[in-house]
Amino acid sequence: MVETALITGATAGLGAEFAEQLAAQGSALVLVARNAERLGEKAAALRSRFGVSVEVLASDLHDDDGVSRVLARLRDDSNPVSILVNNAGYGLPHSFEENPLADELNHAAIHLTVPLALSHAALQGMLARGTGRIVNVASVAGFTPRGSYSALKAAMINFSRWANFTYRKRGVTVMALCPGFVHTEFHQRMGMDKASVPRWMWLDARDVVRAALKDLSTGKAVSIPSRRYKVLAFIARNAPSSLVATLAVRGR
């Protein structure tokens, strides 16, 4: 039976790479993003290259109607989604107190509220069928005190750990993917100077997704791609919190 994967933020970065690698494995796809034109182009390329079925849902996940369309697709038992990748997200350019409140609340929705809503909808069918996988794209930043982005990612890591423990015995794996800096559009969109980050800290999206899918297949609750970030995450989780906070601020 062909599996169907629904991926948010599917036209670029890690979302696009998840689409590529899952299609290469023979999975049918449901691609979700705001830009209908880019969605159509991505879908056509994947159909041509891999010969898989690709649906598109042009939906703005900041909009209630957009979220409702994705929820409805996840609840459609006639063509069930067996893999959910909660990837949509972005960063804010300024410190918490400098960002407009509306921007912070939208940021919180896209990184926490919406993934929780989509996971809740997906779990209904997955648990009934006794099988399914959910990937919540978090960040190694979730192990450090570094603003609202880190706080939101920490919440998704904690949720994923709990959900994996709770639902894995019923056939559903829930995993938080925690990469570090990855060569995608994410940092350009927030106006970050990528040259300010040492070369050794950058990861390739293909390697990140390859490691994530491997960890997902073994039922891991948390995936931290690359040995260097595993070490950094270990330090962040075990060093004195004051030291971690100081280093995180210096690394901004």
Side-chain angles (χ1 to χ4, degrees):
M1 183 176 177
V2 175
E3 290 190 311
T4 297
L6 187 148
I7 305 165
T8 66
T11 56
L14 291 178
E17 189 59 37
F18 268 107
E20 291 269 343
Q21 293 193 29
L22 287 169
Q25 294 178 8
S27 296
L29 302 173
V30 182
L31 306 182
V32 179
R34 288 181 297 176
N35 190 309
E37 184 177 353
R38 290 185 72 179
L39 268 177
E41 292 171 354
K42 184 66 178 177
L46 290 167
R47 293 187 195 107
S48 175
R49 185 175 175 190
F50 299 106
V52 297
S53 170
V54 184
E55 302 173 48
V56 296
L57 274 177
S59 300
D60 185 346
L61 297 180
H62 283 315
D63 179 74
D64 288 343
D65 289 338
V67 174
S68 294
R69 285 195 294 275
V70 182
L71 292 174
R73 181 60 186 87
L74 289 167
R75 293 169 179 149
D76 183 1
D77 290 331
S78 66
N79 187 8
V81 169
S82 48
I83 305 170
L84 167 63
V85 181
N86 280 313
N87 168 74
Y90 55 88
L92 294 175
H94 305 297
S95 297
F96 177 74
E97 76 282 2
E98 297 173 338
N99 291 317
L101 177 59
D103 290 355
E104 285 286 347
L105 294 178
N106 283 334
H107 189 239
I110 206 73
H111 286 287
L112 184 59
T113 309
V114 170
L116 289 178
L118 301 189
S119 296
H120 188 274
L123 277 167
Q124 310 307 308
M126 291 178 179
L127 292 173
R129 295 186 295 273
T131 184
R133 288 171 283 172
I134 297 174
V135 178
N136 294 313
V137 177
S139 170
V140 74
F143 301 116
T144 69
R146 192 177 173 184
S148 58
Y149 178 82
S150 292
L152 295 167
K153 292 307 186 183
M156 286 310 302
I157 294 168
N158 200 30
F159 168 77
S160 300
R161 282 178 169 152
W162 166 82
N164 195 55
F165 174 79
T166 301
Y167 299 122
R168 190 177 173 194
K169 66 190 78 170
R170 297 173 63 182
V172 179
T173 298
V174 181
M175 185 184 80
L177 171 58
C178 302
F181 292 102
V182 185
H183 286 297
T184 67
E185 296 179 5
F186 180 92
H187 300 95
Q188 288 129 314
R189 287 178 176 175
M190 63 182 292
M192 175 183 168
D193 178 12
K194 294 177 68 174
S196 65
V197 178
R199 287 186 179 182
W200 67 267
M201 295 187 73
W202 289 100
L203 301 175
D204 183 82
R206 288 169 295 184
D207 296 334
V208 170
V209 172
R210 190 178 301 115
L213 292 176
K214 180 179 179 181
D215 287 344
L216 187 66
S217 70
T218 64
K220 284 190 176 182
V222 178
S223 174
I224 305 173
S226 85
R227 187 171 299 174
R228 75 201 82 157
Y229 276 108
K230 285 181 172 68
V231 171
L232 290 173
F234 177 83
I235 293 171
R237 285 181 286 188
N238 292 278
S241 58
S242 58
L243 174 61
V244 176
T246 300
L247 293 174
V249 169
R250 287 178 179 175
R252 290 181 59 181

